[in-house]
Amino acid sequence: MARISVDRDKCVYLGVCESLSPKYFQLDDDGELVLPAGEQVDDADLPEVREAVLGCPTEALTLDEG
Ligand code: SF4
């Protein structure tokens, strides 16, 4: 199963990922990025999560598809 990782040193908390895949990426009330569904990605959700990872302007997201 694919797994998301976040490089928090690169994340600038603009929320592009949240807009593309809100199930997996959300900014909380403090502006921190959280992964509400966890790091593991269901196969059915892979297309949208790939989009979110590619859409991150600072390349803070990695998707390890094993
Ligand atoms: S798109 Fe990238 S920089 Fe923006 S909040 Fe998501 S992980 Fe952080």
Side-chain angles (χ1 to χ4, degrees):
M1 190 179 274
R3 178 185 290 268
I4 300 164
S5 62
V6 182
D7 182 342
R8 294 185 183 275
D9 290 335
K10 289 185 178 177
C11 179
V12 293
Y13 306 103
L14 289 175
V16 177
C17 53
E18 180 182 41
S19 70
L20 293 168
S21 183
K23 176 176 174 181
Y24 286 89
F25 304 98
Q26 284 182 17
L27 296 178
D28 68 13
D29 291 342
D30 296 324
E32 284 290 315
L33 181 64
V34 294
L35 306 178
E39 296 178 347
Q40 307 263 16
V41 180
D42 292 334
D43 287 348
D45 297 328
L46 270 174
E48 73 167 51
V49 173
R50 285 191 191 113
E51 288 263 314
V53 168
L54 290 172
C56 173
T58 62
E59 300 184 349
L61 300 176
T62 307
L63 185 62
D64 179 357
E65 300 197 43

